[in-house]
Amino acid sequence: MKNFFRCKCPITSALDIIGDKWSLVLIKQMLFEGKSTFKDFAQSPESIATNILTTRLKMLEDFGIIEKQKLPTNRKTNIYTLNQRGLSLIPVLMELTFWSKHEVIEFNPDLNLDEKLEWAEANKEEAFKQVTDNYLKHKEALLNTK
Amino acid sequence: MKNFFRCKCPITSALDIIGDKWSLVLIKQMLFEGKSTFKDFAQSPESIATNILTTRLKMLEDFGIIEKQKLPTNRKTNIYTLNQRGLSLIPVLMELTFWSKHEVIEFNPDLNLDEKLEWAEANKEEAFKQVTDNYLKHKEALLNTK
DNA sequence: ATTATTACTTTCATTTTGCAAGCAAAAATA
DNA sequence: TATTTTTGCTTGCAAAATGAAAGTAATAAT
């Protein structure tokens, strides 16, 4: 872990963990798109390569951001879910969404913007909580025999 | 610009612009560390290579996140500053800071955490505004004969 | 007039990412 | 039960991004 972090800056260090090309995309897919298996991620429109996917999932697990487990009904398929450390990235992801809505749309007019975004931006705290609760319910349902 | 964006997702598209290893670090250095020249960035503890620095600054300028200009008193030194599009990334950077304070400190105990962070986390909207105003003043001072 | 500084560029090494194919274990199907 | 399909993952190699070191031209400072 020595030399893993570029310096003592909190922002730079956060980016040293989740600032690569794929980590936040994977977390977003779990959080907002209900994805939970290797196959789910591999088949995304972002189309991540499977070797990269393997190493990213392992890294996120090593940092305690996600957890991997199997259902009693299926000894093969791994279920990847966010835990608390991952869930606490929700504000970062939502602020990125807001920024995108305002500033990225000019460069990528095809952006898929949720109609509830307006409300979420005006009620951030409530929106954060709602997304968290939503995911926790989804996760529970997922892990009690899919 | 075709094929620049991986897909139609706002989060993924935002990351396609500022999700590389250095962009948010440079923006942070301007915003919180008063850096504004090529030399400032090159001498940072993160130690970015100068060739990368050149391409990143150009990219951020092309996307309208920063602007480059010269002072009347110095025809050589370029002054890089954030404009509105860059300033609206403040919430993203601050949420990253909060996440780091709670979750990254375990992996990098040397983290340099501002003592005002506690307050900022409890008063996000006010903190965002304060950081913005601070920077705008700094920028104005910077550009009126340094 | 000389030296130092600034903002780059260039070259080449290293690291990261991407693509395609392959694989073993488990699950689904016949 | 035997065969086929699916899943999660690995391997080998190509391409792209990043990094380190040195060099350069224009400007600024001495």
Side-chain angles (χ1 to χ4, degrees), chain A:
Chain A
M1 199 65 86
K2 251 304 174 259
N3 284 359
F4 176 87
F5 293 101
R6 280 174 279 186
C7 63
K8 301 179 175 185
C9 169
I11 292 175
T12 303
S13 295
L15 294 172
D16 285 334
I17 294 180
I18 46 88
D20 68 285
K21 191 172 178 179
W22 290 107
S23 292
L24 284 179
V25 169
L26 294 175
I27 295 169
K28 169 216 77 163
Q29 291 177 344
M30 297 189 216
L31 193 61
F32 296 116
E33 297 166 6
K35 303 192 174 173
S36 63
T37 65
F38 191 93
K39 193 193 171 196
D40 286 341
F41 303 125
Q43 291 180 341
S44 68
E46 281 95 346
S47 47
I48 184 173
T50 58
N51 54 345
I52 310 290
L53 179 53
T54 301
T55 59
R56 279 297 149 261
L57 289 172
K58 204 160 283 167
M59 194 172 198
L60 289 173
E61 197 188 359
D62 289 345
F63 277 109
I65 291 168
I66 66 173
E67 50 188 318
K68 172 166 84 170
Q69 53 201 305
K70 287 188 164 65
L71 295 176
T73 51
N74 188 322
R75 286 189 294 156
K76 178 141 212 220
T77 303
N78 292 317
I79 308 288
Y80 298 91
T81 53
L82 294 166
N83 53 26
Q84 197 48 49
R85 179 166 291 154
L87 281 172
S88 60
L89 278 168
I90 289 176
V92 174
L93 289 174
M94 295 199 61
E95 292 294 353
L96 270 178
T97 309
F98 300 146
W99 187 72
S100 210
K101 178 192 154 212
H102 291 290
E103 307 295 347
V104 180
I105 188 111
E106 169 182 332
F107 302 105
N108 187 5
D110 296 334
L111 274 197
N112 222 326
L113 295 172
D114 194 300
E115 61 276 348
K116 289 174 206 158
L117 233 55
E118 212 79 30
W119 174 83
E121 202 172 357
N123 304 272
K124 290 182 180 181
E125 288 304 312
E126 208 180 327
F128 295 161
K129 199 169 286 178
Q130 202 171 299
V131 171
T132 307
D133 293 348
N134 245 16
Y135 183 80
L136 287 176
K137 269 179 209 156
H138 165 71
K139 178 174 175 178
E140 207 187 308
L142 200 65
L143 296 179
N144 292 359
T145 58
K146 192 183 182 178

Side-chain angles (χ1 to χ4, degrees), chain B residues 18-34:
Chain B
I18 47 87
D20 68 286
K21 192 172 177 179
W22 291 105
S23 291
L24 284 177
V25 170
L26 293 176
I27 294 168
K28 168 216 79 162
Q29 292 178 344
M30 295 190 219
L31 193 62
F32 295 116
E33 297 166 7

Side-chain angles (χ1 to χ4, degrees), chain B residues 46 48 50 57 65 83-85 87 93 118 124 146:
Chain B
E46 281 94 346
I48 185 174
T50 57
L57 289 173
I65 291 168
N83 52 28
Q84 196 49 50
R85 180 165 291 154
L87 281 173
L93 289 175
E118 213 79 30
K124 289 182 180 181
K146 192 183 184 180

Side-chain angles (χ1 to χ4, degrees), chain B residues 16 57 104 113:
Chain B
D16 285 334
L57 289 173
V104 179
L113 297 171

Side-chain angles (χ1 to χ4, degrees), chain B residues 25-71:
Chain B
V25 170
L26 293 176
I27 294 168
K28 168 216 79 162
Q29 292 178 344
M30 295 190 219
L31 193 62
F32 295 116
E33 297 166 7
K35 301 192 175 174
S36 62
T37 65
F38 190 94
K39 192 191 169 195
D40 285 342
F41 303 126
Q43 291 180 340
S44 68
E46 281 94 346
S47 47
I48 185 174
T50 57
N51 53 345
I52 310 290
L53 179 54
T54 301
T55 58
R56 279 296 149 260
L57 289 173
K58 204 161 281 166
M59 193 172 200
L60 290 173
E61 197 188 357
D62 289 346
F63 277 110
I65 291 168
I66 66 172
E67 50 187 318
K68 172 165 82 169
Q69 53 203 301
K70 288 188 165 64
L71 296 176

